[in-house]
C-alpha cells in the first residue's frame, strides 16, 4: 500500500544542538495538533468517506503526515544528538532526559504523552472534513509559534516547509468538503 523512499521530503541537516528547542518542537511530534495526530486522524477517517475521491485524498494526506512525523522526529533527534545530561539540564529539560535520554518520544512540548483522544473519526464525511480543516489550521499556527521561538536557520527552513504543507492540506480538504456539499444540495 505504501512506498517508502529512504529520504525525507526536505533534507534535515541541523548543525546546532539545542535540547530546549527540541522539546518545543516535540509538540508537532506527539501533541494534539501534531503530525502523529494528523496521520492517525486521516488514515482512520478514510474508511468512512463517501467515495474513492475522499478515501484517496485522506490516504494521500495521511501518509504524507507520516512522512512529516519522520521529518519532525529527525529535527528533534538532530537537535539533541550528542547532548548529555548536563546539556539537557542547562536548557531546563533534565526531566525529559531522565525519562527518555536522547530518544524521540511521542509527547507534546509539556511532556504529556500522545493520546488518541486528540482526534476524532465520526463516520460523517462533512463532520470529519470540518475537523480536518481545523486541524490543519491549528498545526499551521503551531508551526508559526515555533518559528517565533526559533532563531536556528536550519530548523526554520524545515518548519517553514512543513507549515506550507499544512496550507496545501487545508486547501485540498476544503475542495473535498465543497465537492460533498454540492452533492448534498443536488
Amino acid at each position: 500500500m505504501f512506498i517508502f523512499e529512504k529520504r525525507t521530503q526536505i533534507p534535515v541537516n541541523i548543525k546546532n544542538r539545542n535540547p530546549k528547542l527540541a522539546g518545543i518542537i516535540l509538540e508537532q511530534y506527539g501533541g494534539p495538533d501534531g503530525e502523529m495526530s494528523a496521520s492517525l486522524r486521516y488514515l482512520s477517517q478514510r474508511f468512512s468517506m463517501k467515495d474513492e475521491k475522499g478515501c484517496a485524498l485522506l490516504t494521500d494526506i495521511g501518509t504524507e503526515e507520516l512522512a512529516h512525523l519522520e521529518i519532525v522526529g529527525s529535527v528533534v533527534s538532530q537537535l539533541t544528538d550528542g547532548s548529555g545530561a548536563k546539556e539537557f539540564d542547562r536548557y531546563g529539560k533534565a526531566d525529559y532526559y531522565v525519562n527518555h535520554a536522547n530518544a524521540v518520544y511521542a509527547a507534546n512540548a509539556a511532556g504529556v504523552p500522545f493520546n488518541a483522544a486528540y482526534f476524532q473519526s465520526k463516520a460523517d464525511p462533512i463532520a470529519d472534513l470540518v475537523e480536518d480543516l481545523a486541524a490543519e489550521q491549528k498545526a499551521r499556527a503551531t508551526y508559526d509559534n515555533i518559528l517565533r521561538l526559533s532563531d536556528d536557520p536550519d530548523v526554520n527552513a524545515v518548519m517553514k516547509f512543513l507549515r506550507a504543507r499544512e496550507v496545501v492540506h487545508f486547501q485540498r480538504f476544503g475542495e473535498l468538503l465543497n465537492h460533498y456539499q454540492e452533492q448534498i444540495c443536488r
Side-chain angles (χ1 to χ4, degrees), residues 14-181:
I14 310 301
K15 295 174 199 71
N16 301 312
R17 305 300 166 250
N18 187 335
K20 183 176 183 179
L21 184 56
I24 292 166
I25 293 170
L26 273 176
E27 187 67 32
Q28 287 302 79
Y29 193 82
D33 304 318
E35 305 297 349
M36 186 175 295
S37 290
S39 63
L40 293 174
R41 174 185 297 111
Y42 308 147
L43 292 173
S44 297
Q45 291 174 350
R46 68 183 285 279
F47 295 105
S48 55
M49 284 295 119
K50 291 181 168 200
D51 54 23
E52 183 58 33
K53 180 177 182 170
C55 182
L57 181 70
L58 270 84
T59 302
D60 289 348
I61 294 176
T63 55
E64 184 177 345
E65 299 290 6
L66 288 172
H68 295 172
L69 187 65
E70 181 179 12
I71 291 168
V72 172
S74 295
V75 170
V76 170
S77 177
Q78 290 179 29
L79 282 168
T80 62
D81 185 41
S83 298
K86 292 198 185 312
E87 189 170 356
F88 273 81
D89 188 40
R90 181 167 47 105
Y91 284 107
K93 298 305 281 180
D95 52 345
Y96 184 90
Y97 186 85
V98 165
N99 287 309
H100 311 293
N102 295 69
V104 177
Y105 178 69
N108 68 12
V112 177
F114 176 78
N115 186 329
Y118 290 156
F119 63 91
Q120 187 55 264
S121 186
K122 295 298 280 185
D124 179 313
I126 302 298
D128 285 345
L129 287 168
V130 170
E131 176 178 347
D132 300 345
L133 287 163
E136 292 296 325
Q137 286 303 313
K138 291 186 285 183
R140 181 206 42 82
T142 302
Y143 281 119
D144 284 341
N145 292 340
I146 291 169
L147 286 163
R148 288 183 192 101
L149 293 168
S150 171
D151 61 359
D152 186 314
D154 297 328
V155 170
N156 292 354
V158 176
M159 297 299 113
K160 287 176 183 176
F161 170 82
L162 292 169
R163 179 183 62 187
R165 296 306 301 159
E166 304 298 347
V167 173
V168 172
H169 296 166
F170 178 84
Q171 293 167 338
R172 298 295 85 79
F173 285 138
E175 292 165 2
L176 184 60
L177 178 61
N178 289 338
H179 169 72
Y180 286 161
Q181 287 176 325

